[in-house]
Amino acid sequence: MRRFLCVLAAAVLCLSLLPAAFAEEDAAPLLSGDVWDMAGVLGDTTAADLAALNDRMSGGRLMVVTRHFLGGKDAGAYARELLDSANPEGGAVLLMVIGEEDYALALGEQIAKALPAESQQSLLARNFRTPYLNRAYDEAVADFALAFAGQVSRARGESIDLDGLFGRISLSATPAPQQWSGKSDINAMWQDFFGEDSPENRTDRGREADWEGGLGTLIFWAFIIYFLFFRKRKRRRYDFGHGPRRRW
Amino acid sequence: MKFRPAAAFVLMLLMLVFAVSFGAYQGWNREKAQLEEAEGAALNAMLRARAESAYNLMTVAKRHVPESDGDFQAVRECRQVLSDEKGAYTLAQKAAANESLTAAANALLTKLEGLDSVRQDSRDLMYVQSLLPQMLKESNRTAVGAAYNEAAAHFNQTMTGSLSGALARRLGVDVLPLFSAE
């Protein structure tokens, strides 16, 4: 009975650790969906048309991310991080850093084969740069997405139907929002501004890690105590018969 | 071999001293590392966010004022100290730069807001009037600095007030610096 209780207690302790052990893996990916418009400069139709375009493309998705600033981070490296968090193989990320007037394109391995580096640069120069710098962000995304899909499909020897996509895009420049729409959740605001958790959340995570480490130690000592006090000792028989105890 | 009680006693004493010293060093060093990892990480995140905010302000300012501008230079100097991750500046210097950044950034924002080139640019005007001040305000988490200082002060007080702490200090475990400009 005692042994059963010890095993049960150990099992409960191990089960209680499972959520903490898998908490990090359950975290949502940094980038999901086709548009992550953190700067709030794209229209709803652009997002819908981009999703429709991605559905028509075979073997790759173009994701568009907008940020106001990157705080000194390299746009290319940041776009690559986003791509790695979402679809490192067959995806592509177009990053637009509105406040820094910078942009970057990151391609997954499969698409990079169809679109080598020099083609990427000329594609951006011809179909993105001018409307982007003129702050016509919807138009810039539309031009680039259509040209990108056409070029990738051609390189793969496939055909793609682009009719009806981005047809309702207004060619006038999208005005920047007059006021930044504040967020009530401090962590969400930090995510918007700095692309990472707020310091308070960071401390909490550190404490969670300490707690997990503490539980590991607790289990270790629980097993030690179990082996020392609760484990049934094997009966060693040194004495045989009824004679005096042997001593060697 | 002849048993010598005096030698055995000295050996035992040496072992005892070694064990106590090693334990004190290990214990205080571990506690210091844990504190630096937990509270120090939050403080570093805050300083990084402050440096990023300063960079963002400089990015907008560069479009409207020359880089030789006095207010621009003041923000740049603060950012240089705050973004240091190689230990070139002390925590006190970083705390001073953090305090100076608020005043320097406000001066630069005020200057930018009065410029025609900014007022005619709806995007940059929004940044100057709304987003950048909010960003600078949010990045300055005084509670994080206070929490670090409280934890560091408690650690320092406990270490200096105990025998094992004094032993650990002699062996090279230093007290934690406070996040304070003074």
Side-chain angles (χ1 to χ4, degrees), chain B residues 37 53 92 156 158-159:
Chain B
E37 197 180 354
S53 301
N156 294 345
T158 319
M159 191 167 85

Side-chain angles (χ1 to χ4, degrees), chain A residues 68-69 71-73 98-99 101 135 176-180 186 189-190 193-194 196 199-200 202-203 207, chain B residues 39 41-42 45 48-49 52-53 55-56 59-60 63 121-123 126-127 130-131 134-135 138-139 141 144:
Chain A
H68 281 298
F69 298 100
K73 295 187 191 88
I98 308 300
E101 297 182 341
R135 302 183 192 176
Q178 293 302 306
Q179 284 291 320
W180 178 73
I186 292 293
M189 195 189 285
W190 264 72
F193 285 165
F194 309 113
E196 56 185 31
E200 286 87 347
R202 210 166 276 264
T203 313
R207 282 178 189 143
Chain B
E39 301 294 342
R48 206 163 41 242
E52 285 182 14
S53 301
Y55 180 88
N56 296 340
T59 302
V60 175
R63 293 197 278 262
D121 186 328
S122 62
R123 182 196 61 192
M126 184 275 286
Y127 286 150
S130 177
L131 193 131
Q134 183 74 14
M135 197 179 268
E138 282 303 321
S139 65
R141 312 305 288 271
V144 173

